[in-house]
């Protein structure tokens, strides 16, 4: 996570990098909390879904910051 934060801050600047990391953390928390509530835990499929959703959220956030 520290490497991802450092890269986000270097690429987007401090404020925008923190925003991108916050979006990633929020998506991760939301999916993990939903999985805990619905299936009482996490599986590899849940972790894969988190990875895909975080990628999409970060790319959408980055695109909105660029334009």
């Amino acid at each position: 996570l520290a490497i991802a934060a450092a890269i986000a801050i270097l690429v987007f600047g401090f404020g925008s990098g923190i925003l991108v990391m916050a979006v990633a953390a929020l998506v991760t928390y939301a999916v993990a909390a939903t999985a805990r509530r619905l299936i009482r835990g996490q599986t590899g499929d849940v972790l894969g879904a988190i990875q895909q959703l975080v990628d999409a959220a970060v790319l959408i956030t980055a695109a909105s910051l660029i334009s």
Side-chain angles (χ1 to χ4, degrees):
L1 185 61
I3 293 172
I7 290 171
I9 290 170
L10 285 174
V11 170
F12 296 109
F14 185 76
S16 297
I18 296 299
L19 175 65
V20 169
M21 291 303 299
V23 167
L26 181 65
V27 170
T28 300
Y29 177 77
V31 175
T34 302
R36 266 187 256 117
R37 183 173 48 85
L38 294 177
I39 61 173
R40 309 242 191 265
Q42 287 187 343
T43 65
D45 289 340
V46 172
L47 295 176
I50 289 173
Q51 186 266 329
Q52 292 295 313
L53 290 170
V54 167
D55 280 353
V58 165
L59 289 173
I60 291 168
T61 305
S64 70
L65 291 173
I66 291 172
S67 52

